[in-house]
Amino acid sequence: MRQWLIGLLGWCAVSALAAPHQHEPPVVLAPGYEDLQFEPPSAGSYQLPSMGEAADGLILNTLGNAGRLHDYLGDKATVLSFIFTTCNDVNGCPLATYVMSGVQKAVLKDPDLVDQVRIVSFSFDPEKDTPSVLGRYGDQFRAEGFDWEFLTTASEDALRPTLDAYDQWVIRDYDEEGNYLGTMSHILRVYLIDSDRRIRNIYSTSYLHADTVVNDLRTLLMQ
Amino acid sequence: MSRIFIAALGFLMMAVAPVTLADETCMSPYMAKIVGQEDYVYIWTLGMEGVGDGEDKLVTVDVNPDSKTYGEVVHSLSVGGRNEAHHSGLTDDRRYLWASGLDTSKIFIFDIYTDPAQPRLHREIDDFVAKTGGIVGPHTNYALPGRMLITGLSNNRDHGGRTGMAEYTNDGDFITSVWMPTDDNLQGAVKSGNYADGYGYDARALPRRNVLVTSSFTGWNNYMMNLGKMMGDPEAMKRFGNTVVIWDLHARTPKKVLDVPGAPLELRCAWGSRSNYCFTTTALTSKIWLIYEDDAGEWQAKAVADIGDASKIPLPVDISISADDNHLWVNTWNDGLVRLFDISDPHAPEQVFEKRIGEQINMVSQSWDGERVYFTSSLLANWDKTESGGEDDVQYFKLYNWDGATLTPQFSLDFVEMGLGSPHQMRFGAHALYGKAPAKTGHDDMAAR
């Protein structure tokens, strides 16, 4: 895991060096980087009540084609994660991408899941995460043939309604002259969305773990 | 601004909560915290008949010593009536403060991020009982990812102590509810002792252990009764919770019911990344209890210390654990004392300090660095004293500085004299949480004094 982490942080290194900010380094790695420290409830033995409709929004895919987020929701159980590629907090977006890689690995091994699951990583930095940048980022993590989509938007104006709809609060960091530093503070949220486009779970840093997410995916597909 | 520092444990703002959290040291390891100087304390305040407008209100006090309005009430927002205002809790992103009323079962959601100096009412939930299938008395407002967990104290069938918990989205939409395990319906839980009373009070989560812990108090019939009348009613005095329940956090199913006799109230879990234990105190038996996972992975409960002389009914109320897990503040309502226990060995707490703060001391909140300790009075409207037995104010908000040996008073606000009411739970706010600098001057809408 540590090598994987170093690789992911390497991706962010330019941003990290260029934009040191006032935040202290994390002192505790999130549970998602370790083996799960408990026996999860068995798939299908619990409920995942709906938390409401998963919103739509404008997107660009890695080819630069315009579309809508709902084009990627509704036909499969989907794990939706908001990230940005220059994120340099180990317990933020790198954690999300690390866990999504773990989900991908587990799903690929499960013939009951492999055609029923999609991962969507959605950038909330349209300025830096252009389709081509996001495409290169995604190539680092997406396994051959796996349905892991990387989406961005054309502009802040196109992005904002989607962030608002998903209650994804983001603070952009600026210097004293008002120049954007390229870093953001946000609350990590990963959404589990069923094939009827309903949000069935939300994970944050202390809850996000590949085993838990896969367990929930199995639970969704058993109902 | 430079004195404000928000911890980046997780990515600045990570979820869980908290949340009831009485204070800054009561949050999730991954929730945004104010680890430097807080700007405001938001105090959920019971309305008192004949005091000001008589309504419940959210009172905002400026507590930043660099501010021109330091130590003053800078905002007061009344909610239109009395609801038995009690506990409050922050959402996982700390943008909203949920504050509930034990009598009317209303929940008020305040926006504290648009202008941290002037909270505004964002939404009011007035159908909690109907939506939850009969849960009464929303108490703890505890943040889980993208949602709030609300513990109940009672039910609408007999207004006794059997109750449940509900979940809402951060927007205030109902998701689901679950009832506490009882002898009649253990819901798969193991009853480990003599009780499975189905009562509720506080809740705390330990996500890395997939554990939710709940405690138990009493129902509407008791908490809305005059204290003297209740104390004189032997049947009423039997109707207090005697349990702590260990839940499967992910499945929201009860796993084990532990005997903790004497109304275990506030729950505070250790911060250490390998520390699998929480503390609670029992109101009627005046003990500190340790709720812990043993070496075999079994959750257990045991009394680990006495709080004063139980025969004198000190009535422990709020507690606050330090960020390093070494100390626990314990307030006792009846004698007006705060006690500090060394809990570095959680199985053998030792009292190391005590000080009288004032009549009917109830809630305690400390800053992340432990250097500032805030206190409020007020327990419940029908239990509070209305007249001082001595020189004390009966309803107050006080700040002390703590240097490791002495509590030094900084300021005290008399909430009756100021026409505000009975102050209860405190939550901290800071402009820096929202990428904003504090205003350089005071605010124009100074609240009622």
Side-chain angles (χ1 to χ4, degrees):
Chain A
M1 183 278 279
R2 198 158 293 276
Q3 274 190 329
W4 191 98
L5 195 55
I6 291 168
L8 189 54
L9 290 174
W11 173 268
C12 306
V14 173
S15 162
L17 292 172
H21 52 71
Q22 75 274 34
H23 305 152
E24 290 178 332
V27 294
V28 179
L29 283 181
Y33 286 118
E34 300 182 334
D35 290 341
L36 195 62
Q37 298 295 304
F38 57 87
E39 184 71 29
S42 59
S45 70
Y46 55 93
Q47 302 295 311
L48 291 167
S50 172
M51 298 179 68
E53 300 296 315
D56 197 8
L58 300 172
I59 59 95
L60 292 176
N61 66 16
T62 54
L63 300 175
N65 297 324
R68 304 198 67 89
L69 179 56
H70 272 189
D71 297 341
Y72 299 86
L73 305 175
D75 57 331
K76 295 181 178 180
T78 302
V79 185
L80 169 65
S81 168
F82 288 94
I83 62 161
F84 63 108
T85 62
T86 53
C87 172
N88 56 18
D89 185 291
V90 65
N91 283 337
C93 316
L95 169 68
T97 302
Y98 177 78
V99 170
M100 292 308 101
S101 293
V103 171
Q104 172 182 249
K105 188 176 175 183
V107 170
L108 281 169
K109 290 179 181 174
D110 188 336
D112 291 336
L113 288 181
V114 67
D115 295 324
Q116 306 294 321
V117 171
R118 174 181 297 124
I119 295 172
V120 174
S121 294
F122 193 129
S123 171
F124 47 78
D125 187 1
E127 184 180 329
K128 286 193 164 57
D129 290 344
T130 61
S132 59
V133 167
L134 204 58
R136 290 197 301 276
Y137 178 83
D139 288 344
Q140 311 293 312
F141 308 110
R142 186 195 306 104
E144 182 73 25
F146 189 77
D147 193 356
W148 186 346
E149 305 291 340
F150 290 82
L151 305 177
T152 188
T153 44
S155 66
E156 281 293 321
D157 287 343
L159 170 66
R160 193 168 302 114
T162 305
L163 293 185
D164 289 345
Y166 282 88
D167 205 20
Q168 183 71 69
W169 169 245
V170 174
I171 302 171
R172 293 175 182 277
D173 299 333
Y174 295 90
D175 66 17
E176 292 184 356
E177 280 71 48
N179 301 308
Y180 176 45
L181 292 171
T183 58
M184 289 175 270
S185 301
H186 68 110
I187 179 166
L188 176 68
R189 283 192 183 142
V190 175
Y191 299 80
L192 177 70
I193 299 167
D194 67 18
S195 55
D196 292 324
R197 295 184 180 134
R198 293 176 301 177
I199 296 171
R200 303 294 291 275
N201 209 350
I202 300 176
Y203 315 92
S204 59
T205 296
S206 46
Y207 291 79
L208 186 61
H209 194 286
D211 293 0
T212 308
V213 175
V214 171
N215 219 38
D216 284 355
L217 285 165
R218 291 196 175 105
T219 296
L220 277 193
L221 296 172
M222 291 167 74
Q223 293 173 349
Chain B
M1 182 75 169
S2 61
R3 296 192 61 187
I4 306 288
F5 209 87
I6 311 302
L9 295 175
F11 194 170
L12 182 61
M13 296 190 189
M14 297 309 175
V16 185
V19 199
T20 277
L21 349 218
D23 51 292
E24 206 58 29
T25 61
C26 190
M27 310 286 195
S28 154
Y30 297 101
M31 189 181 195
K33 293 180 208 67
I34 306 166
V35 298
Q37 174 65 54
E38 54 280 359
D39 290 325
Y40 304 105
V41 175
Y42 305 115
I43 306 166
W44 185 219
T45 301
L46 291 79
M48 295 174 69
E49 192 168 1
V51 175
D53 63 13
E55 297 180 5
D56 293 348
K57 51 184 66 69
L58 187 67
V59 175
T60 304
V61 178
D62 184 336
V63 296
N64 189 329
D66 290 341
S67 168
K68 291 179 179 176
T69 51
Y70 171 68
E72 297 180 13
V73 172
V74 294
H75 192 252
S76 176
L77 179 57
S78 297
V79 298
R82 287 196 290 276
N83 307 273
E84 193 62 43
H86 203 71
H87 275 212
S88 65
L90 299 157
T91 52
D92 57 357
D93 56 10
R94 274 188 100 130
R95 288 195 295 163
Y96 297 97
L97 179 69
W98 288 47
S100 46
L102 296 181
D103 186 19
T104 62
S105 294
K106 289 183 180 178
I107 299 172
F108 302 90
I109 306 173
F110 297 100
D111 166 359
I112 58 168
Y113 77 96
T114 301
D115 181 351
Q118 302 183 71
R120 61 188 70 177
L121 185 59
H122 174 68
R123 182 171 176 179
E124 179 180 328
I125 296 173
D126 59 9
D127 57 358
F128 178 84
V129 179
K131 285 284 190 183
T132 60
I135 298 173
V136 163
H139 181 263
T140 293
N141 300 267
Y142 190 81
L144 296 173
R147 67 183 89 191
M148 292 296 282
L149 176 74
I150 314 293
T151 63
L153 292 190
S154 193
N155 67 79
N156 69 346
R157 290 183 291 278
D158 64 5
H159 287 92
R162 290 194 174 186
T163 192
M165 298 184 285
E167 291 179 43
Y168 282 76
T169 67
N170 278 5
D171 291 334
D173 295 327
F174 175 74
I175 301 172
T176 189
S177 59
V178 59
W179 289 81
M180 312 299 284
T182 63
D183 281 314
D184 298 337
N185 183 7
L186 283 169
Q187 303 175 55
V190 173
K191 180 181 173 183
S192 66
N194 296 317
Y195 303 101
D197 50 32
Y199 283 32
Y201 184 78
D202 203 6
R204 285 293 180 282
L206 283 173
R208 64 189 156 71
R209 301 301 301 143
N210 191 33
V211 162
L212 178 74
V213 186
T214 57
S215 56
S216 56
F217 179 38
T218 194
W220 186 96
N221 290 331
N222 272 3
Y223 67 70
M224 292 305 295
M225 193 188 300
N226 174 274
L227 181 63
K229 181 181 175 187
M230 185 186 71
M231 299 282 281
D233 182 343
E235 287 305 309
M237 291 305 293
K238 292 177 183 173
R239 294 192 283 268
F240 280 86
N242 293 304
T243 54
V244 161
V245 178
I246 305 297
W247 298 72
D248 181 319
L249 173 61
H250 196 86
R252 310 282 202 275
T253 51
K255 294 178 69 176
K256 189 172 186 180
V257 185
L258 300 165
D259 279 3
V260 182
L265 299 182
E266 308 290 330
L267 287 160
R268 300 292 179 267
C269 298
W271 285 98
S273 60
R274 295 290 181 263
S275 299
N276 301 329
Y277 58 87
C278 309
F279 292 97
T280 188
T281 55
T282 45
L284 302 182
T285 51
S286 204
K287 292 180 184 300
I288 298 175
W289 282 73
L290 182 68
I291 313 299
Y292 66 104
E293 187 177 28
D294 67 18
D295 292 342
E298 271 293 308
W299 282 83
Q300 312 286 2
K302 71 173 178 183
V304 290
D306 293 322
I307 305 163
D309 180 352
S311 68
K312 296 178 181 173
I313 316 177
L315 197 62
V317 275
D318 199 17
I319 57 177
S320 178
I321 192 169
S322 62
D324 62 6
D325 293 337
N326 283 332
H327 292 94
L328 186 75
W329 292 105
V330 178
N331 286 351
T332 42
W333 186 83
N334 230 6
D335 58 16
L337 295 179
V338 62
R339 293 174 171 85
L340 186 67
F341 286 81
D342 181 334
I343 53 168
S344 51
D345 177 356
H347 292 266
E350 289 185 25
Q351 184 178 322
V352 294
F353 176 83
E354 74 176 37
K355 182 181 178 69
R356 179 176 168 81
I357 300 300
E359 295 259 15
Q360 57 193 8
I361 182 177
N362 189 4
M363 305 305 287
V364 52
S365 292
Q366 64 180 303
S367 56
W368 181 251
D369 58 17
E371 294 177 0
R372 294 171 300 286
V373 188
Y374 300 89
F375 299 97
T376 56
S377 52
S378 180
L379 181 50
L380 291 158
N382 293 325
W383 291 19
D384 280 351
K385 302 166 188 174
T386 54
E387 293 183 5
S388 171
E391 299 175 352
D392 295 341
D393 306 333
V394 288
Q395 301 294 354
Y396 52 79
F397 168 67
K398 297 182 178 183
L399 167 62
Y400 289 75
N401 283 354
W402 172 247
D403 62 4
T406 307
L407 277 177
T408 306
Q410 301 302 302
F411 67 78
S412 176
L413 301 179
D414 184 331
F415 266 45
V416 174
E417 184 183 287
M418 298 173 78
L420 295 168
S422 307
H424 198 77
Q425 192 155 43
M426 300 164 276
R427 293 280 173 247
F428 296 168
H431 290 276
L433 285 167
Y434 316 108
K436 299 170 182 175
K440 290 179 179 170
T441 58
H443 299 279
D444 294 328
D445 62 332
M446 305 295 279
R449 301 302 177 92

